[in-house]
Amino acid sequence: MALPAMAWANCPGITLGDMAGVSEGAFPEQYELSEFEKAADCKMEFSENPAIGDLNAQIKGNPDLPALADRLPEEPLVVVPYDSIGKYGGTLDALSNATEAGTSDFLSTRHVNLVRYSDDLETIVPNVAKGWEWNDDYTELTFFLRKGHKWSDGEPFTAEDIKFWYDNLALDPNINEKPKDYVLVAGKRMEVEVIDPQTVKFKLPAPKPGLLAHFATSYAQGFQPKHFLGKFHPEINPDADKYAQSLGFENGYAAIKAYYGNSDWTDTATPMLNSPDLIGKLPANAVPTLESHFVVKETTEGRHFVANPYFFMVDTTGQQLPYINEEDEVFANDQQVRLLKLVNGEADYKAQSLQLSDVPLLLENQEKGGYSIQLKPKIAMHAISFNVTSEDPEKRKVFGDLRFRKAMSEAINREELNQVAYFGEGQIQQYTGFSPVPGYVDKKWLTYETQYDPDNAKALLDEIGVVDKDGDGFRDLPNGDPLVLNLQFATQGIAGQVVELIGQYWADAGIKTAVKEVTPDEYRSAQSSNQLDVGLWEKGQPLGIILGNNELWVPPFENYFGHRAGMLWAEWVDSKGAKGVEPPDFVKQLIADINAFQSTPVGTDKSKALAESLVANMTGNLLFIGTALTPDPIYARNVLKNFPEFKTASYEYYRTFPYRPQQWWLDE
């Protein structure tokens, strides 16, 4: 799209605000350099943060900085700021729950991936990759990279780094116990072919058009530095173990675990935290990155980051991004402590772990605290699950009975829950997997078993033998053992008031409950080890993500960080029946349907039929019980500039990733 009819000798500081109403259609929020220079009729001159040398000096192992022109790729990504050309400097202050258990909010402010969603949450646009193309049947996806793009330590970033990530990390059982769904197509591996240093091709065994959307939304980056991690990998370096042992590690894989972790989570602890005794010997304190900021300090209390001197984005005047010099992250697990810090203006941005129930307090203190609150719709809703593979055989029998799950759904007074816990802002819905539900799926599933019918709930419990056998006023298991539902929850996933109300509704139906708040780490550990009675967390994904990732439909129905159930079903699926508990037929149908759905063109009759089958099996069997789709708050201090109106308060689009936080700046 051409800019208005005017020309500049040097490139102008155009912002999206400047362009409002100037031309028809949406003004692009970013350009490749050549596109921008052509549109603006200018030749861009680059400039850098005057503090970048001092910031780079804090990155262990980095050489002295070459000139900016030698640090930027030949075709940097030109970011059009929302409101203003920023000023360099300052420290972005952030609050997280704890290492790896509540940091995605802050991580998203520096995150990059091959592509991303534009802030319209509909259009996929370039990011690390400058472009891509599919073949006609969606079995080959080719990415084009930026010539001269460099890692944060100045080493070249090339297609080899993508192939290394896929072949040697994502598919290596010594690192990832099992491959994630997004690196497979219907359970089969892809082939990654390096065409040249700037061109890489994913060759798929069957169509999977949603693979692109995965890279646009996920924290899991499709690249890792082969030049650094490859030194520790025995398939890349025959002397990997010897080299790792010279640094104090047991072997090469131990070194990879210290730097990269043992999953695709990009916020894993660094050697500064997991191997502090070895830091003096190590070539770097953390793995090189393409992100906007690099971690230079890490303790159990928090982390500190400095601007990446090799970052690949510039603004419309040619200033290298990011504008913000440093980022500081403080860990605070207690929700009340976090709220107090926010009320006092001690963080610049926060969304993760904030619940609708926190809004009155936050709104009341906006002016005093110097911040603003956006209330935005969510993608996921608070959902409930029962441990259908409980280690207790009597509980497993009861939880696995659909009549029990129907009773527990009908016992919830969602209208009252909405008014009391959600201030009337919620839209009562059943969990369907899709959020929003595609228009061609029968709308009956949105309200399936959401009616408040305590009498029928009690009748269903009577029918399956969950009755009060000892006369204490609470129902027991059919064999006479006490039935107590332990409702462990973390405020990162659900509001305490919601859990307490649900516990009371079930108590009114005769089911004894015990409510306990735990940390996210404690919750996830209990969930993954099959120890929870009841799952309590947000759940739901948009169509774009589901097309690239089948996790909501295959046991345990989400990853470690999400809402899981049926852990022993998952063990059976993973072991191909050698271990675990065989799931019922409807679960096997879910697995078959989601694999077929991902390889079928969207909008076709077959695709629509598969979506209907997925929803009918998921919702009809109430594996997860919905409550209401609600908004959540987003917090930002008023000194944080170029902070836009978000469209959703959602993890599903990876929080701030669509809103280009690299162009945020601090006016103080």
Side-chain angles (χ1 to χ4, degrees), residues 378-384 429-437 493 537-546 549 551-553 557-558 562-564 618 624-626 629 649-653:
K378 294 196 300 185
I379 300 294
M381 72 169 75
H382 292 155
I384 304 153
Q429 282 188 19
Q430 190 53 271
Y431 174 80
T432 65
F434 292 96
S435 181
V437 178
W537 202 269
E538 294 182 342
K539 198 165 183 69
Q541 289 177 356
L543 174 63
I545 294 178
I546 289 170
N549 194 328
E551 65 183 9
L552 291 194
W553 311 91
F557 306 105
E558 206 161 352
H563 189 157
R564 312 174 95 185
M618 177 62 74
F624 299 90
I625 296 171
L629 195 59
S650 65
Y651 171 84
E652 290 68 37
Y653 287 98

Side-chain angles (χ1 to χ4, degrees), residues 3 23 110 147 167 224 241 327 331 336 345 456 459 475 626:
L3 298 178
S23 57
R110 61 184 187 276
K147 190 174 183 180
D167 290 348
Q224 286 297 322
D241 288 343
E327 294 186 336
F331 298 146
Q336 297 308 310
N456 191 56
R475 296 174 182 269

Side-chain angles (χ1 to χ4, degrees), residues 446-501:
L446 289 171
T447 56
Y448 180 74
E449 293 294 340
T450 59
Q451 72 276 11
Y452 177 51
D453 193 343
D455 291 337
N456 191 56
K458 293 174 184 176
L460 286 169
L461 293 172
D462 290 344
E463 186 178 318
I464 61 177
V466 177
V467 297
D468 182 7
K469 294 181 179 292
D470 59 11
D472 68 349
F474 289 102
R475 296 174 182 269
D476 302 301
L477 292 164
N479 70 346
D481 289 347
L483 173 58
V484 180
L485 297 181
N486 294 303
L487 306 184
Q488 297 181 52
F489 75 96
T491 55
Q492 183 182 324
I494 194 168
Q497 188 178 19
V498 173
V499 178
E500 290 168 358
L501 281 169

Side-chain angles (χ1 to χ4, degrees), residues 523-545:
Y523 178 90
R524 287 172 173 139
S525 176
Q527 179 177 243
S528 297
S529 60
N530 201 38
Q531 298 303 308
L532 291 181
D533 284 338
V534 180
L536 297 158
W537 202 269
E538 294 182 342
K539 198 165 183 69
Q541 289 177 356
L543 174 63
I545 294 178

